[in-house]
Amino acid sequence: MERMEPGREGVDASTSVGTGDLFDASTDATAVLSADGVLVGWTRAAEALLGYRAPEVVGRSAGRLLAMPEDSARAVGIADRCRAGMGWSGLIPVRHRDGHSIDIDLRVSAAFRIGGKECFLLSAREQRRQWTVGQSVLDGFLTRSPVGMAVMDLELRYVWLNDTLERFGGVPRDQRLGHRLSELLPGLQAETIEGLMRKVLVTGEPVTDYEYLGWSWADPHRRHAYSTSFFPLVDGADSITGVCYMVQDVTERWTTRQLLSLVNEAGTSVGRTLDVMRTAQELADFAVPRFADFVVVDLLEHVLSTEGHGAWLSDAGPAPARPAMRRAGLRSVREGCPEAVAQVGEEVDFLPPPSDANLLVDGDPVLIPVVDPSDGLWVAEQPERAARIREFGIHSLICAPMRARHTALGLTTFARSLNPVPFGPDDVLLAQELVARAAVCVDNARRYTREHTAAVTLQRSLLPHALTGGTALEVASSYLPADPTGGVGGDWFDVIPLSGARVGLVVGDVVGHGISAAASMGRLRTAVQTLAAMEMAPDDLLARLDDLVLRLSDEEAGRDAATRSTATFVGATCLYAVYDPVTRRCTMARAGHPPPVVVVPDGHAYFPEIPAGPPLGLGGMAFEVTEIELAENSLVGLYTNGLIEGADQDVESGMARLGAVLARTGTDLGILCTSAVQELVPTPQPDDIALLLARAHALSEDQVAQWEVPADPAAVGHARAEATRRLADWGLEELTMTTELIVSELVTNAIRYADPPIRLRLLRDTRLTCEVADASSTAPRMRHARSMDEGGRGLFLVAQLAHHWGARHTAEGKIIWAEQEIP
């Protein structure tokens, strides 16, 4: 490798440091040399390079460090060049303290003065032969380096600075020398920076990479970020004689870091709920004043609707000329948002001129760095907004379309008025990122709202619209949907009229939330109605329902396996009760459901001890029946667990609160039901809540007539005559003929095919019911007799004459019944 002779001005292109090191002078060995060749400053980096400590070299001639003969003529030439402000650089050999020679790249600054003495700043590093750089680059390292450099005296006054630092600050060199930073650049953190330099003077420890923001005369309309390092100058007595500092403009790096931080922070601040309007407002709240002075979020009407697709798809063709939007978010640094033409919830159709609705579908963000409200397009298309822009000094805009999953959602507009800095291309990228993140949250909320609305609609359609307990029960119900964030549950209840003036009461809760839970609830409610119509006892009904849930679970598991889903149907709880107004007995069984509450007429509330039973869907376990007697006007309450769990999750305390609320006598049943739910659950809960109240009544003695019937065919006529007389007492003569036929056929069949004892009973309720009980468990079968047969038409005639007919099994046998509508 070719080397330069000592003392040459500049270096050959083949002998220099690498370009990467050229721009990093923070590790250079630095010294200060007086005009007479005596070293007056020596840094620790110089000590590390040559091995000499400051006391060994400061105050002595620098010539003894050279590993070559001194050349006074060339030294004078270098000094003259530096006095002219040009600086010098070259490659020279120097002697290490241990005696070996080192080739170093030496750079000499332009001349400056310290305490009246003319000095030069020397910067050196060991030559790295594997790297090369042009001579002109090294020649201007100190004066034209991208790193600003300066030397300050003990009073923190400038004694030397390079061209880069002069350019950074915008203050000429001659105006800086002899002055302090705080006197020249008030837009910087001058006091803090000078405090750091004083710390370096006191401790002798360098401070590196201190970042700060500030304004300068070189670019007074834009705030810059700087990274500065400070290190001390040390004299021969190892005392500090000044401070050197180097500064870089790191605005791009700082801006990038701030943008990333802002975007990450937005991820935790925007989209915290599954509510479309709230998410839009969160975006506006986050951006003001961090990014803009005024922000509006306008969403398409379809996005806020729960019907249809909810927005335009990007491949669905051109959008209408003026989109129908609604303001969803609004925020300003000014109280009350006076800049806004429309408030939250109002219709808007704003698009920045000259854009059309295609901006929302496939357009890029619109940057208007300087807004001119007198522009003809603004005046023509947005006259009211142009007036507000002029009034409040809005000078810069970014309009970013909001899209997610190829779906147009709306438009977000960012504006600056108090902040004098206009938006730039970097700000567009940030706005785009903020809006993109918010758009995903808005779309998630939109999709969730649609699904939740569909589930609520499905659930409400499956719940009973009108409840009636006949004369046996006065009923009222209250249903409270879950908080939207919790999802629609599978709670249901029902009141089922049964034969013999009896009434079935049911309440259940499907495990899970969403449309699948609502659909499963509908299946179970239909199944309970079907099984109840088959006159099943409560324990048998729950056993059949348990089998059904097992089959549904298997179906769901197979479907989930095919679709690789995990949302299997896992079970439900249920309580089923049957009340008989003739005996005032209530028979009930439960499958993992909370027990009912009973309030007797005197106001005392209690919870009957009913075996809990397993939840539906476990299979293989039995259910037990409990029977209680209800006094006239007793109140029975069936409910789901959401009503009693409460915020403290203490079920026993919740049951006690429920009993106390329902113990209020003399209250209208509907009002009591509604007020009980409101009082026990004052705030939205993550689970659905259902409450079914029934006040028990008994059939009076004059509404019931029954006779023992001997197992003799001759008794049929006597039974028919007794029934006719009772109908006359009840004023139901219009039903005499059909009742005589029904009594004749049912009693005849019982005498002919069943076992005694045989009983005939007439019930006058909302319908007239004729019942014949016997001791046989054989179910009746309706035959279709041929034209020549002499018999076999009894039940067929009953079915034709009665409104409903059927059979139910009892502990003693069975009952065949037939109902007629009372005129």
Side-chain angles (χ1 to χ4, degrees):
M1 180 178 293
E2 184 180 350
R3 293 180 54 190
M4 167 189 155
E5 289 297 324
R8 284 179 54 188
E9 296 180 3
V11 294
D12 186 79
S14 63
T15 57
S16 180
V17 297
T19 58
D21 292 333
L22 173 64
F23 301 105
D24 183 10
S26 60
T27 60
D28 282 4
T30 309
V32 178
L33 183 70
S34 66
D36 55 2
V38 176
L39 290 169
V40 297
W42 191 257
T43 64
R44 289 185 173 85
E47 177 182 345
L49 178 65
L50 297 181
Y52 294 97
R53 296 179 62 251
E56 296 176 317
V57 294
V58 174
R60 301 185 181 184
S61 172
R64 70 188 190 92
L65 300 178
L66 298 174
M68 52 173 276
E70 293 187 17
D71 189 336
S72 300
R74 290 187 175 178
V76 171
I78 292 173
D80 291 339
R81 178 185 175 90
C82 294
R83 289 188 182 99
M86 299 176 62
W88 179 90
S89 63
L91 179 67
I92 64 171
V94 295
R95 193 178 308 282
H96 192 274
R97 190 174 186 278
D98 61 12
H100 73 276
S101 177
I102 301 174
D103 290 333
I104 64 170
D105 291 306
L106 179 66
R107 294 167 293 280
V108 183
S109 74
F112 59 93
R113 293 185 175 276
I114 298 181
K117 181 183 295 186
E118 184 182 46
C119 297
F120 305 91
L121 180 66
L122 308 182
S123 178
R125 63 174 58 189
E126 185 175 0
Q127 183 199 23
R128 299 178 183 176
R129 298 178 181 275
Q130 66 272 29
W131 300 101
T132 62
V133 71
Q135 175 179 349
S136 59
V137 175
L138 286 180
D139 188 50
F141 182 82
L142 287 176
T143 57
R144 295 188 297 272
S145 169
V147 178
M149 291 179 281
V151 175
M152 319 291 283
D153 62 16
L154 294 176
E155 299 299 324
L156 302 183
R157 293 187 296 261
Y158 283 98
V159 295
W160 178 85
L161 69 154
N162 68 349
D163 296 345
T164 304
L165 187 62
E166 183 180 20
R167 186 172 63 253
F168 280 171
V171 179
R173 179 182 281 104
D174 58 352
Q175 294 183 23
R176 281 206 190 211
L177 297 177
H179 295 277
R180 293 169 54 175
L181 178 66
S182 57
E183 299 171 351
L184 301 169
L185 298 169
L188 293 177
Q189 300 178 13
E191 293 184 1
T192 302
I193 296 172
E194 289 182 349
L196 292 174
M197 289 192 284
R198 290 191 187 94
K199 179 181 177 182
V200 171
L201 291 175
V202 173
T203 65
E205 297 294 331
V207 174
T208 60
D209 202 24
Y210 171 74
E211 289 190 1
Y212 60 93
L213 296 175
W215 308 84
S216 70
W217 293 111
D219 189 3
H221 300 295
R222 184 188 179 197
R223 190 169 59 168
H224 286 250
Y226 301 98
S227 175
T228 306
S229 297
F230 310 90
F231 55 92
L233 287 174
V234 184
D235 62 10
D238 207 18
S239 60
I240 298 173
T241 60
V243 177
C244 290
Y245 80 80
M246 290 180 283
V247 59
Q248 287 180 284
D249 189 326
V250 293
T251 303
E252 275 193 35
R253 183 180 74 188
W254 184 88
T255 301
T256 301
R257 189 168 64 239
Q258 291 301 112
L259 294 183
L260 290 175
S261 175
L262 196 62
V263 169
N264 290 334
E265 188 181 350
T268 62
S269 301
V270 180
R272 292 175 292 184
T273 67
L274 286 171
D275 183 88
V276 173
M277 295 290 285
R278 192 175 302 178
T279 300
Q281 186 60 49
E282 287 173 349
L283 172 59
D285 292 340
F286 177 80
V288 176
R290 292 180 178 89
F291 179 63
D293 298 326
F294 176 55
V295 174
V296 295
V297 183
D298 299 331
L299 298 180
L300 293 167
E301 285 280 10
H302 298 298
V303 175
L304 302 173
S305 172
T306 58
E307 301 177 357
H309 292 290
W312 299 318
L313 300 179
S314 59
D315 56 357
R322 303 303 299 179
M325 296 190 292
R326 192 168 296 274
R327 183 135 299 168
L330 179 64
R331 186 75 173 188
S332 171
V333 292
R334 297 179 174 89
E335 185 176 355
C337 302
E339 307 98 321
V341 172
Q343 299 300 312
V344 172
E346 296 180 356
E347 294 183 5
V348 292
D349 61 354
F350 170 71
L351 291 172
S355 303
D356 57 22
N358 288 316
L359 168 67
L360 306 179
V361 177
D362 54 14
D364 295 325
V366 175
L367 168 64
I368 308 178
V370 179
V371 178
D372 181 8
S374 62
D375 184 277
L377 287 175
W378 280 95
V379 174
E381 296 184 21
Q382 305 287 340
E384 189 174 0
R385 289 183 173 85
R388 298 291 177 92
I389 289 172
R390 186 181 299 105
E391 179 181 358
F392 295 100
I394 296 176
H395 62 83
S396 190
L397 281 180
I398 295 177
C399 296
M402 183 176 286
R403 292 188 292 267
R405 302 180 180 98
H406 305 290
T407 302
L409 303 173
L411 183 72
T412 301
T413 302
F414 304 90
R416 282 181 178 171
S417 56
L418 300 182
N419 185 345
V421 180
F423 287 120
D426 290 341
D427 296 316
V428 174
L429 296 177
L430 174 59
Q432 196 169 15
E433 184 65 26
L434 291 177
V435 171
R437 293 200 173 205
V440 173
C441 298
V442 167
D443 193 52
N444 288 341
R446 176 182 68 89
R447 290 166 180 261
Y448 173 81
T449 300
R450 285 172 50 208
E451 180 176 346
H452 183 267
T453 302
V456 170
T457 303
L458 174 62
Q459 186 183 47
R460 290 192 180 279
S461 68
L462 296 175
L463 288 173
H465 299 286
L467 300 176
T468 176
T471 58
L473 293 175
E474 176 189 355
V475 295
S477 65
S478 181
Y479 171 75
L480 184 65
D483 180 359
T485 59
V488 174
D491 294 7
W492 93 92
F493 55 89
D494 213 343
V495 178
I496 307 172
L498 302 174
S499 64
R502 298 170 307 132
V503 180
L505 300 173
V506 61
V507 65
D509 186 1
V510 174
V511 176
H513 294 83
I515 290 180
S516 61
S520 299
M521 175 270 286
R523 288 182 174 184
L524 295 186
R525 177 172 178 255
T526 302
V528 170
Q529 289 179 330
T530 302
L531 296 173
M534 295 171 65
E535 302 286 359
M536 286 191 173
D539 54 340
D540 293 334
L541 183 145
L542 291 181
R544 295 291 185 89
L545 202 61
D546 185 47
D547 292 338
L548 173 62
V549 172
L550 284 173
R551 290 197 299 272
L552 291 177
S553 297
D554 291 341
E555 291 178 8
E556 292 292 334
R559 184 179 299 109
D560 295 338
T563 60
R564 298 182 180 179
S565 174
T566 59
T568 56
F569 179 84
V570 294
T573 63
C574 185
L575 169 65
Y576 181 61
V578 176
Y579 173 65
D580 188 341
V582 177
T583 62
R584 292 188 288 106
R585 308 290 295 181
C586 185
T587 307
M588 57 189 74
R590 61 188 180 121
H593 202 83
V597 57
V598 177
V599 182
V600 297
D602 64 2
H604 172 67
Y606 71 98
F607 294 84
E609 295 183 3
I610 308 172
L616 301 175
L618 296 182
M621 302 179 72
F623 301 94
E624 298 183 38
V625 170
T626 298
E627 187 175 82
I628 62 174
E629 184 174 337
L630 297 177
E632 178 76 15
N633 291 322
S634 293
L635 184 67
V636 180
L638 282 65
Y639 53 91
T640 53
N641 58 353
L643 185 64
I644 59 174
E645 288 181 347
D648 55 6
Q649 299 293 311
D650 188 341
V651 174
E652 292 186 1
S653 297
M655 292 171 65
R657 291 192 295 267
L658 174 62
V661 170
L662 296 182
R664 301 167 183 168
T665 58
T667 305
D668 176 81
L669 198 62
I671 297 176
L672 177 62
C673 190
T674 303
S675 61
V677 173
Q678 292 175 347
E679 183 173 340
L680 295 173
V681 190
T683 58
Q685 298 294 320
D687 196 7
D688 290 6
I689 293 169
L691 175 61
L692 174 63
L693 297 182
R695 181 167 284 135
H697 300 293
L699 291 184
S700 60
E701 292 183 0
D702 65 346
Q703 291 179 280
V704 182
Q706 58 183 357
W707 303 271
E708 294 289 337
V709 180
D712 182 356
V716 175
H718 177 73
R720 186 168 56 242
E722 291 291 340
T724 300
R725 283 192 292 272
R726 182 49 62 101
L727 289 180
D729 294 340
W730 287 343
L732 301 178
E733 290 86 353
E734 294 182 32
L735 300 179
T736 299
M737 181 178 295
T738 56
T739 303
E740 285 181 346
L741 288 173
I742 291 173
V743 169
S744 295
E745 295 298 334
L746 294 184
V747 172
T748 299
N749 283 346
I751 294 173
R752 184 175 298 175
Y753 302 113
D755 300 324
I758 301 172
R759 290 185 300 274
L760 170 64
R761 186 170 75 166
L762 295 181
L763 301 176
R764 178 175 60 85
D765 189 26
T766 55
R767 292 189 177 97
L768 176 65
T769 304
C770 176
E771 297 180 344
V772 175
D774 59 57
S776 173
S777 60
T778 303
R781 182 171 62 90
M782 186 170 63
R783 296 170 53 193
H784 295 274
R786 293 170 296 182
S787 60
M788 302 300 294
D789 291 344
E790 295 182 0
R793 297 178 178 86
L795 288 180
F796 179 78
L797 290 174
V798 171
Q800 296 299 311
L801 296 172
H803 179 71
H804 290 298
W805 80 278
R808 68 177 183 270
H809 292 276
T810 64
E812 296 81 16
K814 69 176 182 297
I815 294 176
I816 310 298
W817 56 269
E819 292 180 349
Q820 299 177 76
E821 294 285 356
I822 295 177

